[in-house]
């Protein structure tokens, strides 16, 4: 069934719950930055499965690692160890030890929301009775499970599911006084993104993150950084917090970690992780060998490519091209996590539709902001091709506005 037929199928013929709206296109093949739909039309994927496919589609090293592991061992449960998960945990702990200066331990999950669930439980156990509140920011996104939805600072998303779990408090993004006022002895942790992703690509300043670190230290609260979208080289550093010079206590990961294999992790400094005891947390699929085979391949390949440097270099090229376009009034973000702010009168949703038609996949994160998250392996030619398509799409709107 092509996407068009799918869209118009009667509701009882659609096998999916209607939470995502009608899909725009049906894809059946991808390679690097390119995708092909079921009619054979080619697209450049500048969304990369929402910052997931950072090494590009069907990466041969990742594909081979998964295929080999599938013939060896998929899963054994957490009553037993497997060498693939141990290797992946050591690799991530090493990356985060280098970035934070602290030894740590991690818990493997299957998604970003589960990584944050683990962090929230860890913070509550660490804080103890009476010190259980999680402070997060307005405009943030932390997941769709009930607790991570409660942490997500978008009240309209809460409304249909009231009552929300208790113990979550939101403060305006970037406001140091507001977060200082909110973080008192009842607060277990601050949960915060280095760059708000779903919220519109809004980077934290180094000053803000340093202030949050200090405020957490003064109050005895944990600083938990949600690196689910920013992690694994996306922003030009291994982790987004590295732009700010702070060292978090807890880091949550997912998205690019498996290049499309559903896998995530909650990492904490060893002294923080130590509050968990056997039985406090778990997941049938935590650290399953097949998922961790993808993680190992992703980290090896990212290290071989020097993925952070790649993201920084490609990002600079993309920003230069975008800033020169009529209709673009600003570009926010870091590395290859970019929000393109359109001039007044231009419509990001319309640009998304026109670009999809032209063969470029982006997404609109606000009425005036397009988000770009291409694979870090994107070529300079593909960047130029995308810039030209965005130029064309914006020019169509500019001319319509003139007419
Ligand atoms: C995507 C995302 C999540 C949720 O991840 P899922 O895998 O969809 O559960 C949480 N936090 C941030 C910052 C994200 O970008």
């Amino acid at each position: 069934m092509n996407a068009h037929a799918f869209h118009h199928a009667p509701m009882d013929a659609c096998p999916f719950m209607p939470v995502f709206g009608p899909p725009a296109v049906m894809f059946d093949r991808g390679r690097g930055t390119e995708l092909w739909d079921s009619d054979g039309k080619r697209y450049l994927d500048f969304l990369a499965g929402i910052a997931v496919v950072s090494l590009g589609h069907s990466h041969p090293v990742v594909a081979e690692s998964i295929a080999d592991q599938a013939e060896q061992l998929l899963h054994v449960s957490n009553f037993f160890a497997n060498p693939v998960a141990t290797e992946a945990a050591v690799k991530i702990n090493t990356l985060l030890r280098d970035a934070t200066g602290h030894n740590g331990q991690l818990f493997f999950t299957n998604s970003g929301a589960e990584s944050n669930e683990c962090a929230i439980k860890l913070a509550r156990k660490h804080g103890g009775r009476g010190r259980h509140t999680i402070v997060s920011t307005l405009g943030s996104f932390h997941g769709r499970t009930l607790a991570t939805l409660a942490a997500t600072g978008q009240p309209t998303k809460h409304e249909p599911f009231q009552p929300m779990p208790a113990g979550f408090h939101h403060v305006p993004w970037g406001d140091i006084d507001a977060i200082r006022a909110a973080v008192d002895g009842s607060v277990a942790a601050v949960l915060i993104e280095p760059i708000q992703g779903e919220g519109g690509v809004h980077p934290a300043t180094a000053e803000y993150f340093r202030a949050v670190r200090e405020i957490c230290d003064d109050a005895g609260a944990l600083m938990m950084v949600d690196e689910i979208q920013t992690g694994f080289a996306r922003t030009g550093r291994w982790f987004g917090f590295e732009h700010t010079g702070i060292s978090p206590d807890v880091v949550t990961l997912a998205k690019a970690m498996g290049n499309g294999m559903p896998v995530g992790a909650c990492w904490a400094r060893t002294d923080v992780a130590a509050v968990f005891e056997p039985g406090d947390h778990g997941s049938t699929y935590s650290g399953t060998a097949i998922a961790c085979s993808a993680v190992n391949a992703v980290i090896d390949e990212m290290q071989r490519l020097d993925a952070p440097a790649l993201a920084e270099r490609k990002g600079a090229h993309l920003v230069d091209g975008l800033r020169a376009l009529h209709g673009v009034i600003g570009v926010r973000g870091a590395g290859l996590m970019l929000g393109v702010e359109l001039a007044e009168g231009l419509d990001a949703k319309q640009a998304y539709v026109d670009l999809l038609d032209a063969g470029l996949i982006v997404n609109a994160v606000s009425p005036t902001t397009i988000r770009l998250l291409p694979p870090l392996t994107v070529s300079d030619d593909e960047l130029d091709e995308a810039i030209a398509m965005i130029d064309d799409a914006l020019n169509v709107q500019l001319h319509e506005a003139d007419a």
Side-chain angles (χ1 to χ4, degrees), residues 90-249:
V90 169
K91 283 185 156 95
I92 292 172
N93 285 336
T94 303
L95 288 173
L96 277 162
R97 186 199 59 209
D98 292 349
T100 64
H102 296 293
N103 281 319
Q105 293 175 312
L106 65 74
F107 177 82
F108 280 119
T109 68
N110 311 287
S111 67
E114 285 172 80
S115 302
N116 283 335
E117 283 278 347
C118 178
I120 291 164
K121 283 179 70 178
L122 182 62
R124 283 195 172 187
K125 184 119 198 257
H126 184 266
R129 287 282 156 93
R131 189 195 279 270
H132 66 258
T133 301
I134 306 293
V135 170
S136 55
T137 61
L138 289 170
S140 63
F141 184 80
H142 298 297
R144 300 284 198 163
T145 63
L146 273 173
T148 60
L149 182 61
T152 291
Q154 300 185 43
T156 54
K157 288 190 164 67
H158 297 171
E159 267 330 294
F161 307 106
Q162 296 287 8
M164 284 289 108
F168 293 87
H169 182 77
H170 302 109
V171 293
W173 172 246
D175 184 334
I176 294 173
D177 291 336
I179 201 162
R180 183 177 289 120
V183 178
D184 58 22
S186 70
V187 171
V190 169
L191 177 63
I192 192 164
E193 296 157 276
I195 302 178
Q196 285 189 340
E198 304 307 299
V201 191
H202 296 289
T205 62
E207 184 200 7
Y208 182 51
F209 255 44
R210 286 190 192 133
V212 171
R213 177 70 273 182
E214 225 176 86
I215 289 163
C216 286
D217 286 341
D218 289 349
L222 298 175
M223 182 168 176
M224 311 203 294
V225 176
D226 181 339
E227 291 276 356
I228 290 162
Q229 190 160 150
T230 47
F232 291 99
R234 171 61 51 191
T235 70
R237 303 281 191 280
W238 278 103
F239 305 101
F241 69 78
E242 293 180 84
H243 291 281
T244 69
I246 64 102
S247 177
D249 304 305

Side-chain angles (χ1 to χ4, degrees), residues 356-382:
L356 190 67
D357 197 48
L360 179 68
I361 301 166
V362 302
N363 99 311
V365 278
S366 90
T368 56
T369 313
I370 298 172
R371 179 173 49 169
L372 303 179
L373 300 161
L376 313 183
T377 51
V378 63
S379 72
D380 288 350
D381 285 348
E382 288 167 338

Side-chain angles (χ1 to χ4, degrees), residues 269-326:
R269 273 175 23 204
T270 308
D271 59 306
V272 174
V275 304
F276 267 165
E277 295 165 276
D280 277 342
H281 198 54
S283 168
T284 300
Y285 289 124
S286 176
T288 199
I290 191 69
C292 289
S293 69
V295 176
N296 287 328
V298 164
I299 295 174
D300 287 350
E301 187 62 11
M302 283 191 169
Q303 284 175 325
R304 192 186 69 77
L305 292 170
D306 192 359
L310 202 58
E312 190 161 69
R313 185 152 43 82
K314 300 287 178 184
H317 181 129
L318 186 51
V319 169
D320 282 349
L322 293 166
R323 287 220 165 110
L325 301 185
H326 287 296

Side-chain angles (χ1 to χ4, degrees), residues 12-101:
D12 60 3
C14 176
F16 301 114
M17 286 193 184
V19 295
F20 293 119
V25 186
M26 180 89 83
F27 288 112
D28 54 23
R29 196 162 58 89
R31 189 81 184 177
T33 311
E34 295 173 301
L35 279 173
W36 288 270
D37 72 13
S38 42
D39 298 326
K41 177 180 163 185
R42 169 188 178 265
Y43 297 75
L44 284 181
D45 186 1
F46 271 47
L47 191 57
I50 316 183
V52 166
V53 191
S54 282
L55 290 172
H57 293 282
S58 316
H59 192 286
V61 172
V62 180
E64 193 187 323
S65 182
I66 295 169
D68 288 351
Q69 190 59 44
E71 302 208 318
Q72 194 76 30
L73 178 76
L74 291 184
H75 175 74
V76 289
S77 95
N78 288 292
F79 296 131
F80 309 102
N82 77 72
V84 194
T86 307
E87 184 187 334
V90 169
K91 283 185 156 95
I92 292 172
N93 285 336
T94 303
L95 288 173
L96 277 162
R97 186 199 59 209
D98 292 349
T100 64

